[in-house]
């Protein structure tokens, strides 16, 4: 059975959040290349689909969580 487009998008979004939580600091271009999608798709992921997460760019243009957000934190 072929993988559905929403499966690919969900995998990409979870992977991006995981990378940021590990402080990997990817760029939009590196993510586009890794997931074989356009830069625009990654920008849409970051600025629309993940808009509830406090994601910003550092001074080198790499994506980071602002203020040390950790998605795996157990504190509420």
């Amino acid at each position: 059975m072929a993988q559905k487009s929403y499966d690919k998008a969900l995998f990409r979004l979870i992977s991006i959040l995981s990378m940021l939580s590990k402080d990997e600091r990817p760029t939009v271009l590196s993510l586009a290349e890794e997931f074989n999608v356009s830069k625009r798709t990654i920008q849409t992921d970051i600025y629309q689909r993940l808009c509830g997460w406090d994601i910003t760019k550092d001074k080198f243009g790499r994506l980071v969580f602002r203020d040390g957000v950790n998605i795996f934190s157990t504190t509420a």
Side-chain angles (χ1 to χ4, degrees):
M1 184 173 191
Q3 190 176 25
K4 303 288 185 189
S5 64
Y6 53 81
D7 292 338
K8 292 177 187 177
L10 180 59
F11 175 78
R12 192 174 60 245
L13 296 172
I14 291 170
S15 296
I16 291 169
L17 289 173
S18 178
M19 287 177 196
L20 294 175
S21 121
K22 295 177 196 172
D23 203 26
E24 291 183 20
R25 298 178 181 236
T27 64
V28 170
L29 181 59
S30 71
L31 290 171
E33 290 171 352
E34 180 169 343
F35 295 111
N36 197 30
V37 295
S38 70
K39 287 173 44 178
R40 184 67 189 137
T41 296
I42 298 299
Q43 290 169 336
T44 299
D45 287 346
I46 301 298
Y47 300 114
Q48 291 180 12
R49 295 183 178 122
L50 297 176
C51 65
W53 297 92
D54 203 3
I55 299 171
T56 190
K57 288 184 179 179
D58 67 10
K59 65 182 179 180
F60 302 106
R62 300 173 303 189
L63 298 168
V64 295
F65 278 133
R66 188 185 323 253
D67 299 328
V69 172
N70 183 347
I71 65 171
F72 299 113
S73 176
T74 58
T75 59

